[in-house]
Amino acid sequence: MSGFVNSARSYAITVPPPRLYSFRRCPYAMRARLGILFAGLTVELREIVLKNKPAQMLAVSPKGTVPVLELAGGDSSERFVIEESREIVEWALQQSDPQGLLNTDLVSANALIDRNDNEFKHWLDRYKYADRHPELSQLDYRKKGEVFLQALESLLAKNRFLLGANISIADIGIMPFVRQFAHVDREVFYSLPYPNLQRWLRGWLEHPVFLQVMVKCQPWQEGDELVVFPRTTTITLKCSSEVNASK
């Protein structure tokens, strides 16, 4: 798994634009779209249905998970593929980082995101799909996930964002997963003793960039017109902002 570094792998910004295969509700795909938006970049968006993955995506990324970013090389027939959300964010912010999301303690940011991806996500999946994992109760899974939430609460008790006064890569790398945890049972989440974490999440759910991230588009099919992300006037009729996504 890639970490965020000051000298990321070099990918050129190319024409045609990068092509992003995404699934709106996937937290990894949300992370990638957040990185692209904070970088101020534009990509071609291909929204997919996980139960019916397009052959074009599987041809460039046989592992079949989202997000996948496809970049054209110097020869338009040559394309490079970035298959991990963290690498997509890294690539995007290395192209442009106008809000300084990389101007932070990258060692601490990577450690937090590693813990999110390797520990918290494990318990999140079991909490969300407890019926598929009868070894423990849903309450037990929630409490195991809360260990990470408690660490975030401690950080947010000191600062507005996870690593300081400003948004960093740690925030955009972790927020989609906390959102998913909260949406398993919103009433329970907001009753937990994590006021700073709840404030942080509410702020994100109302953030203009997140509202753009959650624009809803029809699943891509071969022959469709190109959909630009973030949306422009040309796709307004095809996409609509729906912040309150289903679980």
Side-chain angles (χ1 to χ4, degrees), residues 117-239:
D117 291 5
N118 299 319
E119 175 191 324
F120 180 61
K121 184 62 164 64
H122 174 85
W123 299 119
L124 165 59
D125 287 344
R126 282 152 181 76
Y127 174 45
K128 184 176 181 180
Y129 302 110
D131 57 331
R132 303 179 190 176
H133 303 279
E135 299 84 5
L136 297 175
S137 70
Q138 186 179 48
L139 175 60
D140 289 331
Y141 289 129
R142 193 196 83 206
K143 288 184 175 179
K144 288 184 178 294
E146 283 186 57
V147 173
F148 184 61
L149 298 187
Q150 290 162 7
L152 300 182
E153 174 70 15
S154 296
L155 291 171
L156 292 165
K158 303 172 187 175
N159 296 294
R160 182 181 177 190
F161 297 101
L162 291 175
L163 295 180
N166 300 310
I167 295 170
S168 76
I169 54 171
D171 296 281
I172 68 170
I174 291 171
M175 184 278 293
F177 300 85
V178 176
R179 172 192 176 275
Q180 190 175 68
F181 188 97
H183 284 198
V184 174
D185 190 324
R186 293 174 178 83
E187 184 175 349
V188 166
F189 177 81
Y190 286 105
S191 72
L192 296 174
Y194 311 127
N196 296 293
L197 182 66
Q198 292 155 357
R199 167 195 53 78
W200 174 82
L201 181 60
R202 284 192 180 103
W204 271 111
L205 296 180
E206 298 170 356
H207 196 288
V209 173
F210 186 70
L211 299 184
Q212 287 184 288
V213 162
M214 295 309 292
V215 162
K216 185 175 183 180
C217 295
Q218 294 297 317
W220 176 82
Q221 295 181 11
E222 188 171 9
D224 283 353
E225 292 184 5
L226 182 144
V227 173
V228 175
F229 176 83
R231 71 178 183 177
T232 64
T233 304
T234 58
I235 64 168
T236 300
L237 296 178
K238 192 170 185 179
C239 303

Side-chain angles (χ1 to χ4, degrees), residues 8 12 28 38 43 59 71 89-90 104 106 117 191 193 200 212 220:
Y28 294 105
F38 273 103
V43 299
L71 305 168
V89 174
E90 177 182 314
T104 190
L106 292 174
D117 291 5
S191 72
W200 174 82
Q212 287 184 288
W220 176 82

Side-chain angles (χ1 to χ4, degrees), residues 2 33 37 67 85 95 147 174 186 200 231 243:
S2 170
R33 298 196 305 274
L37 279 171
S85 62
Q95 310 308 311
V147 173
I174 291 171
R186 293 174 178 83
W200 174 82
R231 71 178 183 177
V243 182

